[in-house]
Amino acid sequence: MARLSGKTALVTGGGQGVGRGIALALAAEGAAVVITGRTEGKLKDTAGEITERGGRAYTVVGDVGERDDVDRMVAETVREFGGLDVLVNNAQSSVQRKLVETSYEDVELTYRSGPLAAFHAMQAALPHLRESCGSVVNLGSSAAVQGEATFAAYAMAKEAIRGLSRVAAREWGPYGIRVNVICPAALSPAAEEYFAAYPERAEGVLAGIPLGRMGDPETDIGRAVVALVSDDMAYLTGATLMLEGGRTLIG
């Protein structure tokens, strides 16, 4: 029997890249998957892949930066599949500028689409996660862990997500809810475009990964999320997993 049979998962930003890979992997292990995002065509494409493989998928168009949209995403998930077991907060807008050039608007955008979106989704999902003793996976970034140059607004947002996750892990542990963070390095469409534009930087990135390659969104990142939300890792909460092939080593 698939590890997630009978479970329902909500993945924000599931129409492409890492979110898509996570959605596909969750569905492959038996979960009914709701994917959300702002672009309907991409959501439909991912949902189509899931159904073609024999899985169950549902799409909700919306902006995680809007509280009403987030509440609707959770409500439609529960209405469609009867509950919620797994919440993956993947959606995040990114701004890359030098610190001195970073504006208030840049910070506001990354916070609204990142930690505030995760905060709103977690609050909306809590009653349902309590019923299911569910699991939350939030996405962080090594750009924040390492303090990479030109990522000021993005790093601020991603570290806020890690702080939120640790607090939730402590407060929600008594309900049987686990909250963890992953920091992935995967060959998403955005990464492919970046490497194509800056091939010399691609070489530098790969040289810094002990395993010598970028991760695959589904098989490397998605399947790790499957393990994380399954009973196989039922005793892990409040953790940050660096899914980067060894690029970032933290103690």
Side-chain angles (χ1 to χ4, degrees):
M1 181 178 294
R3 283 184 285 179
L4 303 181
S5 290
K7 305 289 188 181
T8 297
L10 169 60
V11 181
T12 68
Q16 64 180 358
V18 170
R20 170 184 167 275
I22 292 172
L24 292 172
L26 291 169
E29 283 291 337
V33 181
V34 176
I35 51 176
T36 76
R38 293 179 295 180
T39 306
E40 185 175 18
K42 293 179 179 179
L43 299 179
K44 294 296 186 184
D45 288 345
T46 302
E49 288 184 72
I50 290 172
T51 56
E52 286 173 6
R53 298 182 185 186
R56 294 182 296 160
Y58 183 78
T59 63
V60 181
V61 178
D63 183 350
V64 294
E66 300 294 333
R67 178 66 187 258
D68 288 346
D69 281 7
V70 173
D71 289 343
R72 178 169 53 82
M73 292 170 187
V74 173
E76 289 198 30
T77 298
V78 174
R79 185 191 68 202
E80 183 69 17
F81 293 118
L84 179 60
D85 304 273
V86 176
L87 171 64
V88 180
N89 286 305
N90 165 74
Q92 171 76 66
S93 295
S94 175
V95 177
Q96 187 175 355
R97 305 187 213 284
K98 291 182 178 180
L99 177 60
V100 71
E101 298 169 353
T102 299
S103 68
Y104 173 83
E105 290 73 22
D106 295 335
V107 174
E108 183 181 49
L109 173 63
T110 56
Y111 263 72
R112 190 172 66 249
S113 62
L116 283 177
F119 167 69
H120 291 152
M122 290 165 67
Q123 283 192 332
L126 177 59
H128 312 291
L129 294 173
R130 286 189 67 171
E131 288 185 12
S132 63
C133 293
S135 183
V136 179
V137 177
N138 293 326
L139 269 73
S141 173
S142 64
V145 174
Q146 298 191 113
E148 293 183 12
T150 74
F151 283 95
Y154 183 72
M156 291 166 66
K158 286 303 188 183
E159 285 299 89
I161 287 173
R162 289 215 300 153
L164 169 66
S165 301
R166 289 192 291 267
V167 170
R170 287 192 183 276
E171 292 189 0
W172 295 0
Y175 307 145
I177 300 171
R178 299 185 297 111
V179 184
N180 292 292
V181 175
I182 64 167
C183 295
L187 198 57
S188 65
E192 289 178 341
E193 290 178 8
Y194 180 80
F195 288 163
Y198 304 100
E200 71 286 352
R201 295 182 186 178
E203 293 179 6
V205 169
L206 292 176
I209 299 176
L211 292 183
R213 63 179 178 84
M214 294 289 286
D216 179 85
E218 180 180 358
T219 59
D220 291 317
I221 310 304
R223 292 199 310 199
V225 171
V226 167
L228 187 57
V229 303
S230 75
D231 290 340
D232 292 348
M233 301 189 76
Y235 199 54
L236 184 69
T237 194
T240 296
L241 302 183
M242 308 303 296
L243 298 177
E244 302 183 310
R247 179 170 179 256
T248 302
L249 302 177
I250 59 175

